[in-house]
Amino acid sequence: MLILLQLIQSSLDWKGVQRKEQGLSAYKRRDKNSYIATTFNFYLYPPTFGPVDARFLVQASSFQFLCKYDFDFNKFVYDGIPYLNQPQTKAVEKYLHSKAMFKGKERSNDVDEEVLQALCSRVAEWLVKSEGDPSAMLEVADEEIPELCHMKSFILRSELRHRFKNLRINILDNEQRTLQISRFAEENDKGDSLAIDTEEDRERLLENLKGFTRVFTLLKGGVPIIGHNMLLDLLLIHDKFYKPLPETCEEFKKNINKIFPCVFDTKHICNTTRQLFRESGLLENSSLGMLYQALSSPAGQQFVIDAPSVVHASESYKDNSRPHEAGYDAYMSGFVFLRLSHILTFFNVKSTEVRPCPFSRYMVELKPYRNKINIIRGHLNHLCLDGPDPPSSRPDLLFVRSKHSSFELHVLQLVRWFSKHGTVDIQITDPHRALVATSNHYCSKDILKAFRNHNKITVTKYNKWRHSPVIRRYIWAGAILSGGACLLALLSSRKKN
């Protein structure tokens, strides 16, 4: 079985980044050459309880992007599943045992005073009316006190026991929440029942607050984890479900490798093997949606025969494409991985010798790509989770300069010119100078060749000694200082003469 991870998130500040939607797609082999994909979408929302109260920032354009793809904000806020990392879990456990939520100024915001007061009034009235009847029972449904459904069982039971000393309290969470309140039959039963009920409520509350973290725990150390361009996914998984991010990259790699010993990034696989398909153009675009379209097209299916097929377990996905929905992105990552695995396994094999093969063979053939995570806009091509990182193979930066003082450089204009040759990243350093990072050496060579005799700009390989303004300032400052020192020495020697 494969587990595919994909997230949709949006924010500005790292400490404020929150997961909004988590997608999982579990792939299971159905027969010798097909798989069934069971896909899940989880809307996640950070919990607020006791010492845990997350703050996060949101970029307007990110919300606009989510709106474009029909993200359900109401479900995110009202029904979002909570989650805790290990330090947060320990803080909540300590808070629950300290009983601080019921003490004076430290009384928790989770305790709704109006709801509790309405409930306690009902209980007090019932106690008076049922005095002398040991079998009497009070049932209070949330339709009678609507806000009751939002109160946590542990808080309700603890508060009622704090105010009324001889009550047995059962809470039934079915279609609607119902409180069953009765007197203890015998005083001897009271102590053990209170301790058991309180501990059960405490454990149940903690498990509810952990929420999606429990799913994360089930994935640890198990099946291969597949994603597309998944570095940010792994960073958020570490921070939100495991521990806050460590100070060093090496420690982060070590932790992730311990959690997920087998990880594949389809973006890295695509970028590494793209030259094999240069003539066919099959992997020309490495974005997830375009890869999925290319590999699911007739050309992609027949590039190597007997490619494994994938069947959706859910009817909702069979005839619908849902780009940027977390679950559907996870499904596409799995599909791309299986197709790439099949193509690379039989790339140099005659068509007459191609056969459906077990997943274990794919794992052997794709071992060189295991635990290699793609890095975008970085000095390195990828991060190696289970060993030292590779030396940089990125092409040198390109330096762009305007030939005329009247012609200023603009990012959009440079993108239009350069993007014909490949993916580029552009940084304007001043109105007449810019730095360009290219995705590969082919792109860099093509740009240098195409703009060799351009009438408005010059494009050369970046040289820090010639093009860095900081270093140029130091050089000029050194030249001026050394020139001044020589002149001073010359004048001194003349005076002596």
Side-chain angles (χ1 to χ4, degrees):
M1 183 183 286
L2 298 175
I3 298 294
L4 301 311
L5 299 179
Q6 191 69 27
L7 69 95
I8 294 178
Q9 63 82 32
S10 57
S11 196
L12 297 171
D13 178 72
W14 172 255
K15 291 183 179 179
V17 172
Q18 299 297 331
R19 304 178 69 86
K20 289 178 171 48
E21 189 179 5
Q22 176 72 58
L24 296 180
S25 190
Y27 274 60
K28 187 175 182 180
R29 198 174 185 192
R30 190 173 63 163
D31 53 44
K32 68 177 183 178
N33 203 34
S34 70
Y35 293 78
I36 185 167
T38 306
T39 302
F40 306 90
N41 273 297
F42 301 92
Y43 284 82
L44 306 184
Y45 191 81
T48 56
F49 182 77
V52 178
D53 187 8
R55 295 182 180 183
F56 55 95
L57 303 173
V58 178
Q59 193 170 0
S61 59
S62 297
F63 262 26
Q64 188 177 28
F65 174 85
L66 294 175
C67 290
K68 180 180 177 181
Y69 292 99
D70 299 324
F71 183 80
D72 192 337
F73 289 94
N74 282 332
K75 191 168 185 179
F76 161 60
V77 175
Y78 286 104
D79 302 322
I81 303 170
Y83 52 86
L84 297 173
N85 60 23
Q86 289 183 7
Q88 289 173 329
T89 301
K90 290 180 180 178
V92 170
E93 286 179 334
K94 183 179 179 181
Y95 180 73
L96 288 173
H97 283 88
S98 70
K99 299 182 180 179
M101 70 179 75
F102 302 111
K103 296 179 181 177
K105 293 182 180 180
E106 297 180 356
R107 193 172 176 85
S108 172
N109 290 329
D110 297 286
V111 179
D112 190 319
E113 298 290 350
E114 292 183 2
V115 174
L116 280 175
Q117 190 56 49
L119 179 61
C120 290
S121 297
R122 288 285 307 277
V123 174
E125 183 180 346
W126 170 78
L127 285 173
V128 172
K129 290 182 178 179
S130 64
E131 188 175 359
D133 183 1
S135 62
M137 177 180 290
L138 172 67
E139 290 192 350
V140 182
D142 57 13
E143 61 184 15
E144 299 177 60
I145 306 178
E147 295 82 0
L148 199 63
C149 63
H150 301 296
M151 293 286 289
K152 295 178 173 63
S153 300
F154 175 78
I155 296 174
L156 282 173
R157 206 191 303 253
S158 298
E159 184 70 12
L160 287 173
R161 284 175 180 153
H162 179 71
R163 299 193 186 191
F164 306 100
K165 304 301 182 183
N166 300 310
L167 297 182
R168 183 192 299 277
I169 305 164
N170 291 324
I171 300 177
L172 306 178
D173 287 309
N174 299 319
E175 293 183 2
Q176 64 176 9
R177 170 176 284 189
T178 303
L179 268 70
Q180 293 181 340
I181 302 171
S182 60
R183 291 181 175 85
F184 280 103
E186 297 181 13
E187 189 66 24
N188 295 335
D189 295 337
K190 177 180 174 182
D192 292 340
S193 296
L194 285 175
I196 293 172
D197 289 346
T198 302
E199 187 60 32
E200 286 180 353
D201 281 343
R202 189 182 290 119
E203 290 178 2
R204 192 179 298 114
L205 173 58
L206 186 60
E207 288 300 299
N208 288 339
L209 290 172
K210 286 180 180 179
F212 188 81
T213 306
R214 291 183 288 164
V215 178
F216 160 75
T217 304
L218 295 175
L219 300 177
K220 290 170 62 176
V223 296
I225 302 295
I226 315 298
H228 185 81
N229 208 17
M230 62 188 302
L231 178 59
L232 181 57
D233 295 72
L234 295 176
L235 287 166
L236 285 169
I237 286 170
H238 189 294
D239 186 70
K240 305 306 176 188
F241 307 141
Y242 183 55
K243 295 178 181 178
L245 289 173
E247 294 184 358
T248 65
C249 180
E250 289 301 316
E251 189 176 351
F252 164 73
K253 287 165 42 177
K254 181 180 177 182
N255 291 343
I256 288 294
N257 190 236
K258 181 174 68 174
I259 299 168
F260 301 136
C262 183
V263 178
F264 289 96
D265 187 338
T266 51
K267 180 83 169 183
H268 169 71
I269 298 173
C270 174
N271 288 343
T272 306
T273 61
R274 181 180 293 164
Q275 297 310 314
L276 299 175
F277 309 92
R278 190 171 178 83
E279 293 184 4
S280 66
L282 186 65
L283 304 184
E284 185 175 351
N285 191 318
S286 63
S287 69
L288 180 58
M290 296 304 292
L291 270 178
Y292 177 77
Q293 287 184 22
L295 293 171
S296 59
S297 67
Q301 292 177 22
Q302 296 304 317
F303 194 88
V304 173
I305 63 171
D306 284 332
S309 62
V310 179
V311 178
H312 287 291
S314 171
E315 294 289 336
S316 61
Y317 286 111
K318 288 185 177 180
D319 300 317
N320 295 316
S321 174
R322 299 183 182 180
H324 301 295
E325 182 188 79
Y328 194 77
D329 283 357
Y331 155 73
M332 289 195 295
S333 298
F335 182 92
V336 167
F337 177 77
L338 282 176
R339 285 292 167 88
L340 285 176
S341 299
H342 187 75
I343 291 172
L344 294 173
T345 298
F346 295 104
F347 189 78
N348 292 316
V349 177
K350 294 180 181 179
S351 296
T352 55
E353 298 176 6
V354 176
R355 298 286 186 276
C357 69
F359 185 75
S360 56
R361 182 173 175 184
Y362 293 154
M363 289 291 96
V364 173
E365 296 294 335
L366 268 70
K367 189 175 180 180
Y369 311 103
R370 176 172 169 165
N371 293 328
K372 307 291 193 301
I373 307 302
N374 182 66
I375 297 179
I376 57 173
R377 302 176 182 175
H379 182 61
L380 299 177
N381 287 317
H382 66 272
L383 204 65
C384 185
L385 296 178
D386 56 0
D389 295 324
S392 175
S393 60
R394 298 281 194 196
D396 294 331
L397 292 173
L398 299 180
F399 179 74
V400 181
R401 184 172 58 191
S402 172
K403 286 185 175 181
H404 311 288
S405 59
S406 60
F407 181 75
E408 294 188 355
L409 301 179
H410 298 281
V411 171
L412 290 179
Q413 179 62 64
L414 294 178
V415 167
R416 292 191 193 101
W417 284 343
F418 296 157
S419 60
K420 301 174 185 177
H421 307 282
T423 305
V424 295
D425 231 358
I426 297 171
Q427 180 183 2
I428 302 293
T429 57
D430 66 43
H432 301 97
R433 295 176 180 83
L435 295 177
V436 179
T438 56
S439 57
N440 55 63
H441 290 278
Y442 292 97
C443 176
S444 180
K445 290 178 181 178
D446 290 346
I447 291 174
L448 287 170
K449 183 178 179 180
F451 289 85
R452 184 176 297 164
N453 299 313
H454 199 269
N455 63 337
K456 291 186 177 180
I457 61 173
T458 59
V459 182
T460 58
K461 288 186 177 181
Y462 177 75
N463 183 305
K464 63 181 180 181
W465 299 104
R466 292 173 54 198
H467 302 136
S468 171
V470 176
I471 292 179
R472 285 170 65 86
R473 290 192 195 102
Y474 277 119
I475 292 174
W476 277 106
I480 293 170
L481 289 173
S482 59
C486 291
L487 182 61
L488 182 62
L490 182 62
L491 291 174
S492 298
S493 62
R494 283 186 176 183
K495 286 181 179 180
K496 290 179 181 179
N497 292 335

